[in-house]
């Protein structure tokens, strides 16, 4: 059985990631590929329970370290009980956010540092990285516009952080994509949903090619 491909969507708030993840799933299914669409934080019952703790924290909220550990714990469960088994069965996995979100949000914007986040990922998930990470980014879009246009929950503990935090997240994603051009495809999120989808399909074409050969 050939291992399936693992694709993650990343980006700041309101970049249309979830819509594009769904459209890519549909496009791959139309090509006869078995696909598991999932998201982070979440994807398994345990990880979804941790998602709720992270986005709607009890009490005063989590400190930066506890938050990073909870993300790593939810990812460990997701990787062990959903992502690795699906890939081993030959399915393609599309994940709406993955470890690069922890690197950008907790590592850079949250100031824990990239090494700490990568170490947590090595411990929790044996350092699994996607075959391709699609970064959806929109040049010059104000954070306030992004928050208005976002495709997720507008009132959670992380999405609701200030503009400095979210600008730092966006800059971090750009820096990651520049540092590892082989692992990332940066897709311009400007324009219609269909235009962005065409760019996403262009970005994953090499994976389809690889899988067919
Ligand atoms: P979600 O509603 O899925 O947001 P979005 O629609 O923007 O993807 O909520 C996930 C939030 O959690 C989002 O603000 C990003 C944040 N997050 C982290 O801070 N670290 C992580 O590792 C992940 C996966 C998400």
């Amino acid at each position: 059985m050939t291992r399936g491909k693992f694709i993650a969507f990343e980006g700041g708030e309101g970049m249309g990631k979830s819509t594009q993840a769904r459209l890519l799933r549909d496009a791959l299914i139309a090509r006869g590929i078995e696909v598991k669409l999932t998201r982070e934080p979440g994807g398994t019952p345990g990880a979804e329970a941790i998602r709720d703790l992270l986005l709607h924290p009890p009490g005063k909220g989590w400190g930066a370290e506890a938050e990073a550990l909870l993300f790593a714990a939810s990812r460990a469960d997701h990787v062990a009980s959903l992502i690795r088994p699906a890939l081993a069965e030959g399915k393609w996995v599309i994940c709406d956010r993955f470890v690069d979100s922890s690197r950008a949000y907790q590592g850079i914007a949250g100031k824990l540092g990239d090494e700490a986040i990568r170490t947590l990922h090595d411990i929790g998930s044996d350092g699994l990285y996607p075959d391709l990470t699609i970064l959806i980014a929109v040049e010059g879009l104000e954070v306030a516009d992004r928050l208005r246009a976002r495709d997720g929950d507008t009132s959670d503990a992380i999405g609701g952080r200030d503009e400095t935090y979210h600008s730092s997240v966006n800059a971090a994603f750009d820096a990651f994509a520049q540092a590892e051009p082989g692992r990332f495809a940066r897709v311009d999120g400007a324009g219609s949903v269909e235009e962005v989808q065409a760019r996403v399909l262009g970005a994953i074409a090499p994976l389809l090619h690889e899988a067919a050969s």
Side-chain angles (χ1 to χ4, degrees):
M1 170 78 64
T2 316
R3 179 187 177 274
K5 302 283 183 198
F6 180 18
I7 300 169
F9 279 85
E10 294 283 11
E13 310 288 312
M15 296 292 184
K17 289 177 304 302
S18 308
T19 306
Q20 291 301 330
R22 277 195 299 275
L23 289 171
L24 178 59
R25 178 209 38 206
D26 296 346
L28 292 176
I29 288 173
R31 283 168 174 76
I33 295 171
E34 269 198 274
V35 184
K36 186 83 202 157
L37 173 63
T38 186
R39 68 166 181 186
E40 288 209 344
T44 60
E48 289 289 334
I50 298 176
R51 175 188 177 91
D52 197 44
L53 288 172
L54 279 161
L55 300 186
H56 306 286
K60 283 193 231 138
W62 307 107
E65 292 79 6
E67 181 178 291
L69 286 161
L70 284 169
F71 273 112
S74 70
R75 185 162 301 122
D77 187 56
H78 191 206
V79 166
S81 28
L82 188 152
I83 297 177
R84 284 196 195 275
L87 293 173
E89 285 166 15
K91 293 185 183 125
W92 286 39
V93 174
I94 301 174
C95 195
D96 186 351
R97 296 192 180 280
F98 194 63
V99 67
D100 293 301
S101 277
S102 283
R103 296 177 62 215
Y105 284 79
Q106 285 67 49
I108 307 299
K111 300 194 165 53
L112 287 182
D114 197 36
E115 218 184 297
I117 302 301
R118 285 190 183 263
T119 302
L120 288 182
H121 189 54
D122 286 344
I123 297 168
S125 302
D126 202 16
L128 177 72
Y129 286 86
D131 296 296
L132 182 69
T133 296
I134 298 175
L135 171 63
I136 302 197
V138 179
E139 251 7 286
L141 184 64
E142 291 305 318
V143 170
D145 292 334
R146 271 199 293 269
L147 291 176
R148 255 195 305 281
R150 59 175 302 177
D151 53 353
D153 184 351
T154 50
S155 59
D156 68 69
I158 299 174
R161 287 180 184 157
D162 66 17
E163 189 165 331
T164 313
Y165 186 90
H166 289 291
S167 300
S168 168
V169 165
N170 288 316
F173 277 127
D174 279 341
F176 298 162
Q178 266 179 26
E180 289 186 88
R183 191 163 75 76
F184 281 88
R186 191 180 191 283
V187 164
D188 181 5
S192 68
V193 166
E194 293 75 19
E195 283 167 333
V196 179
Q197 191 198 6
R199 292 175 202 135
V200 169
L201 290 176
I204 63 120
L207 287 188
L208 283 171
H209 207 75
E210 235 176 70
S213 60

